Amino acid sequence: LQPSYSILQAYSSYIFGITAAFVGEHAVNAFKHAITLTLSALSDFQRSEHSKDSVFFRDGIRQIDFVLSYVEDMKKDAELKANSEDGKTYFVKIHAPWEVLVTYAEVLGIKMPIKLSDIPRPKYPPLSYMLGPVKLPSAVKNPSPEYFTAQFSRHRQELFLIEDEATFFPSSTRNRIELLWRKNRTEICDPKIGGQMIMCPLCDEVCDYWRLNTTCLHSKFSHLFDNESTVFFAIFMGIWVTLFLEFWKQRQARLEYEWDLVDFEEKQQQLQLRPEFEAMCKHKKMNPVTMEMEPHMPLCHRIPWYFVSGTTVAFGMALLLSSMVSIIIYRLSVFATFASFMESEATLQSVKSFFTPQLATALSASCLNCIVILILNFFYERISAWITKMEIPRTHQEYESSLTLKMFLFQFVNYYSSCFYVAFFKGKFVGYPGRYTYMFNIWRSEECGPAGCLVELTTQLTIIMIGKQIFGNIHEACQPLIFNWWRRRRTRTHSEKLYSRWEQDHDLQIYGHRGLFYEYLETVIQFGFVTLFVASFPLAPLFALLNNIMGIRVDAWKLTTQYRRPVAAKAHSIGVWQDILYGMAILSVATNAFIVSFTSDIIPRLVYFYAYSTNSTERLRGYVNNSLSVFLIADFPNNTAPMEKRDFITCRYRDYRNPPNHEEKYDHNMQFWHVLAAKMTFIIVMEHVVFLIKFLLAWMIPDVPKDVEEKIKREKLMTVKIIHDFELNK
Amino acid sequence: LQPSYSILQAYSSYIFGITAAFVGEHAVNAFKHAITLTLSALSDFQRSEHSKDSVFFRDGIRQIDFVLSYVEDMKKDAELKANSEDGKTYFVKIHAPWEVLVTYAEVLGIKMPIKLSDIPRPKYPPLSYMLGPVKLPSAVKNPSPEYFTAQFSRHRQELFLIEDEATFFPSSTRNRIELLWRKNRTEICDPKIGGQMIMCPLCDEVCDYWRLNTTCLHSKFSHLFDNESTVFFAIFMGIWVTLFLEFWKQRQARLEYEWDLVDFEEKQQQLQLRPEFEAMCKHKKMNPVTMEMEPHMPLCHRIPWYFVSGTTVAFGMALLLSSMVSIIIYRLSVFATFASFMESEATLQSVKSFFTPQLATALSASCLNCIVILILNFFYERISAWITKMEIPRTHQEYESSLTLKMFLFQFVNYYSSCFYVAFFKGKFVGYPGRYTYMFNIWRSEECGPAGCLVELTTQLTIIMIGKQIFGNIHEACQPLIFNWWRRRRTRTHSEKLYSRWEQDHDLQIYGHRGLFYEYLETVIQFGFVTLFVASFPLAPLFALLNNIMGIRVDAWKLTTQYRRPVAAKAHSIGVWQDILYGMAILSVATNAFIVSFTSDIIPRLVYFYAYSTNSTERLRGYVNNSLSVFLIADFPNNTAPMEKRDFITCRYRDYRNPPNHEEKYDHNMQFWHVLAAKMTFIIVMEHVVFLIKFLLAWMIPDVPKDVEEKIKREKLMTVKIIHDFELNK
């Protein structure tokens, strides 16, 4: 397996139609020639002399470079059919002779070694011996010497370092030619402060008043994620993302050089017309580049299909959002039930301080959400592939980008919308006691717990991210196992026959042209979890790391044992995914700034600390009391107050509003506007600082590392020199 | 004059040492050959037979491609010397024979026509005939047919469209080859409202209380620039800038194709070592690209120079900022004088409503500022060129980027710092009556007029921008005129002799290698005026347009008549200036958002309109009263109240603070925090919206226009095909 395959974008080509069209008439002729060669070799084929795992022709010299398989039912040629297990599948094994390889290496402009690299390997830094035991030995890291490469040319064959004609072209090329616990929280736990705070009920009628210290444990847990370090962590991650993407660019440049893709233009391959498009086209139009007539579909013929595809996407999104709304309704309706149930159930009293009705609702809703997401994903994948096909895109590139857009949009909304809801909408528009806002006039809006919404966002993220990862890895590992087992069971009817290598391989799963697409999509969605909400969930990068370590192993096992060998394809970058990663990196700075100021509790605490605190030694003492407004129970409208009558006349709620004795009662007070101004200022300052650092870093770090640039230049210089000398001496 | 010269970056090379080193030994030999040719031609040279303006050799056939001039004092060769005016300057006229042109065209990889372009010219859109009279006739726009071009090759000469050997290479190419041989508001005016408002004095002791309606005219003028449309204009300009830069990219791509620079790599030329560097170097080091020993200066030898250069830049900046501070002090100290003078002078009473002390101060300070800026510029240019030379940069590229960084940093601070002061600092930290803030404990901070700071920013910008443009154009036109007149006067001693064309040209100004640099710098600084403060000064783009129309004419006249013909150089983009333009475009969104919310008066008015207005029909009525806080005159500390006693006990000032009867008197009131929150929210919303649109537009508009891409592809295809066919038939 060529490394280019596992990281850079590889596109498996449609095996036959395309490659023939791509290489042109010559290729077809050469192909016929190759088939003739192979068929003649097949005629005197003796099965018994042959090992089961052999990848060589009967002569033991010529290597099998490609195996074509096709199914034919007509009993025309009984002799050849005998070679197959099920008696229907034909195998054509192809070996590319030297002349064919040489010709098409030139046509494809493949770069081959021309001179041993004379740039010394970088010296290890002075303290590198300390890292010795951890490092890979250089013979493992660089198994073959480095070469300068140049485009292969038949007429200058003697220039290239050809030791052995059989191994000069590596098999992938052959294959291609073939194809914290602290202060104010203790206030909540303090029976003298938290125990004295009578909070307004969290739902109408059913819920009772409650004391603040019942949420003590929950608040302590919340402080783990919601503290001053969150600000620095958010800033740090904004910068880390930039560095990550910059160093990825450098790594990409290095791989580009190592895999000889420096001057490679992938468009050629990608801009090839799709056979489906050609088949559907009746009109022709002149291509201004080749000046040849080419199938063309007028815009008016495409519009109905675009319309169908647009409506399907819109319908899909609507379905998605309505599923999210239904989960919100589930949360709202189930909360009252949980609250009354947990009130009455005696066994739950002991865990009440941690396992609040809010948490129970959040947990059950997140799990439900995760399941709904996975189910919707399954259906939408199929639908979007189908409608992209319906659009009849001209080229593979158009097909890819249309599908990528649809899939990414959908998965983005599917995975992140519930997180966006918890982070930025939940508890923001609840109104205040006596004038709560109601959804569809039935369900009262959700409030966040007294510890803030941040801990709920953390719960939500943990469940969705880990749920996705576990499901994804199991899916990736089990699906091919089951399919392969089933396939083998079905096809092995003549068990007495030799089960040849190519038959074994043929019975494996197909790593289709969308195989890599799913790998990218998974990685990009994971990148979103790591960056977009990292301020609320600092453990996300750790989970991502664990998932990636596992993913590498699962993928390696899968690709080497469960799938047919994929057809290698060249690509000089990860394409449109890079733009998506950059977009997410920029979006993440904004989302983290908003999480710090709106989801977390830091800014109100800081405002209290600097502007409102009256205690000069412990400046945060009194914050809990200050952050809760007073409501007169007598002001509750009909049928919303708890049914049991109590002996107190006011209750408290989280907001900055005027007390009942104020002339503009229950209006926002001055502190509200003060805190809001501080929140907005924080967002502006943080975004500007982070973006400034980001752009400076991105501008300062070169896209191509210095040593790679030198190597590229040296290679070019040497190639020109060698060819020039060669032409002179000819 | 080649168009590539006037727009794309052209670098004149240091004439001799470099180019010889660049081409290597071959060039030196060729050069010797050429000189021999020319000198033999000189020997039988007859002055009388020759026209004064001839650009041909005596035979009338061979064209003079390049004239080298050098001064020698030794009276060695009396015969040759006679050819020159002053008897000291030697002229060596060079003609490049066909073989030499052909050889070096190949070495330089110059692209020459290989086939007439077969891509049809774009059809005119249906309504284009209406634009007919305005359009240039196509024979003027496209004087010669379009060709596909390919890199010139000696061995395939017959492939290229050579009609006439003398005109095949255009003169700019010949010239380049040659070079190788060597190198608002009525309420204020209402006497019932504005006339009743007694404002607190604007300076201590000297100034008197004043009535708001005295600034009536000034406020009306201010409303021209400070109204609701400013918001939309700021957003519009943010988007306009993006479109401008995107279309510039397209234009650049089109020019790149038209001027055959598609595969051009400028680095070659730019990375050549500077002869000054080579002369200063004693150490040698191996170049990893060429594997040859190369002069190298160890870092420790450079550090003292970097240190000197760093200190000089820091000192320059300090000088700049101190000059700005001294202008602020001028404003502060002169304001009291103006205020008391205008109070006493009877003749000024009639213009008082418009010509306020603020305006007088602003005008005089701006003019002073403009003069200081121009003087500082003059000195700093020389200093930065000198210190860049001291740094001994390795290559021309290093030299250019070091100089560009210094000059741009300096000019940016020089031109914009006073505008940033007026926009974001003036009137923001004034304190309130009784507790004003004082600069150096002496000068009271400046307040903005009751119409807001925006109009002052407008004044400042107008004066600096227009002053700079007028001075710049005069400077550009007069300087060469005077110098040339002086030079000609000095050199024309033998008026009886034929004043030959090359002598005339030799006596013109030299368009040095920094000529284009200054043009770029001017354009970029102007771009800053157009974008950074456009919300406050919507006329800036108009002034810039007028300046550019004039600039084009002045430059054309200057380059064709006052300067020696510049040596053409290729470049495929405008280089680092593009990054600077992008940086400014991003900065401008932030500055305009801040100007709208902090400098202008729109946000407080909108907050009043939606949240505080009690008048339901005319919602803005009462705004002026609402925006002014009340101060009790008795609260003035000693020696700050006006000396004359008045019969009123309170005065008003612009701020949102509690009245004197409030328990926390003179603290910020709720409206202050409300307005601040609104301002911050506006900045966040505007920035996010504009950046989102910007990035979407930048991502959607392709960098290379579709037709240019097709042409490039077609050209490549045709070139490969033609060469392939040629090789086959050889």
Side-chain angles (χ1 to χ4, degrees), chain A residues 118 265 288-291 579 668 670 673-674 677 680-681 683-684 687-688 699 710 713-714 716-717, chain B residues 118 265 271 288-291 579 668 670 673-674 677 680-681 683-684 687-688 699 710 713-714 717:
Chain A
D118 53 359
E265 281 184 46
V289 176
T290 54
M291 293 288 171
D579 295 337
H668 285 299
M670 180 162 148
W673 295 109
H674 195 165
M680 293 299 185
T681 312
I683 292 174
I684 293 174
E687 285 194 352
H688 283 92
W699 180 74
E710 277 170 2
K713 278 186 192 158
R714 176 84 188 149
K716 273 189 189 159
L717 193 81
Chain B
D118 54 0
E265 281 184 46
L271 290 175
V289 175
T290 56
M291 295 286 171
D579 294 336
H668 286 299
M670 180 163 148
W673 295 110
H674 195 164
M680 293 299 182
T681 311
I683 293 175
I684 292 174
E687 286 194 352
H688 283 92
W699 181 72
E710 277 170 0
K713 277 187 195 158
R714 175 83 187 152
L717 193 81

Side-chain angles (χ1 to χ4, degrees), chain A residues 389-499:
Chain A
K389 222 173 155 187
M390 285 292 112
E391 280 173 26
I392 325 171
R394 263 186 82 236
T395 60
H396 288 285
Q397 208 181 30
E398 269 180 36
Y399 178 85
E400 283 289 324
S401 51
S402 174
L403 185 67
T404 306
L405 183 73
K406 281 195 201 72
M407 292 290 283
F408 178 72
L409 248 177
F410 174 79
Q411 294 228 347
F412 187 90
V413 176
N414 198 7
Y415 283 112
Y416 303 137
S417 58
S418 60
C419 299
F420 275 99
Y421 165 73
V422 173
F424 305 126
F425 298 101
K426 196 187 164 193
K428 301 289 177 295
F429 311 102
V430 282
Y432 58 91
R435 278 190 72 180
Y436 286 117
T437 51
Y438 290 83
M439 204 171 162
F440 304 124
N441 286 322
I442 304 169
W443 296 285
R444 207 175 104 181
S445 293
E446 267 183 302
E447 275 178 72
C448 285
C453 282
L454 200 80
V455 71
E456 282 192 46
L457 180 58
T458 311
T459 320
Q460 178 89 0
L461 277 166
T462 319
I463 290 172
I464 293 181
M465 189 174 166
I466 293 175
K468 178 189 179 301
Q469 290 179 352
I470 291 171
F471 176 79
N473 279 316
I474 291 173
H475 175 84
E476 264 188 72
C478 296
Q479 197 206 21
L481 262 187
I482 295 165
F483 274 92
N484 282 335
W485 171 80
W486 176 249
R487 205 160 171 171
R488 235 176 245 144
R489 213 186 107 99
R490 216 186 43 178
T491 50
R492 286 292 286 161
T493 46
H494 311 277
S495 52
E496 76 287 352
K497 277 194 184 172
L498 178 74
Y499 192 33

Side-chain angles (χ1 to χ4, degrees), chain A residues 9 11 14 18 265-274 388 393-405 513 517 572-573 575-576, chain B residues 709 713:
Chain A
Q9 195 170 18
Y11 294 98
Y14 281 81
I18 298 248
E265 281 184 46
E266 61 200 313
K267 295 199 170 163
Q268 228 183 2
Q269 208 168 348
Q270 284 295 303
L271 291 175
Q272 211 48 46
L273 297 181
R274 294 174 70 232
T388 310
R394 263 186 82 236
T395 60
H396 288 285
Q397 208 181 30
E398 269 180 36
Y399 178 85
E400 283 289 324
S401 51
S402 174
L403 185 67
T404 306
L405 183 73
H513 65 288
F517 175 84
H572 65 57
S573 74
V576 72
Chain B
E709 226 185 298
K713 277 187 195 158

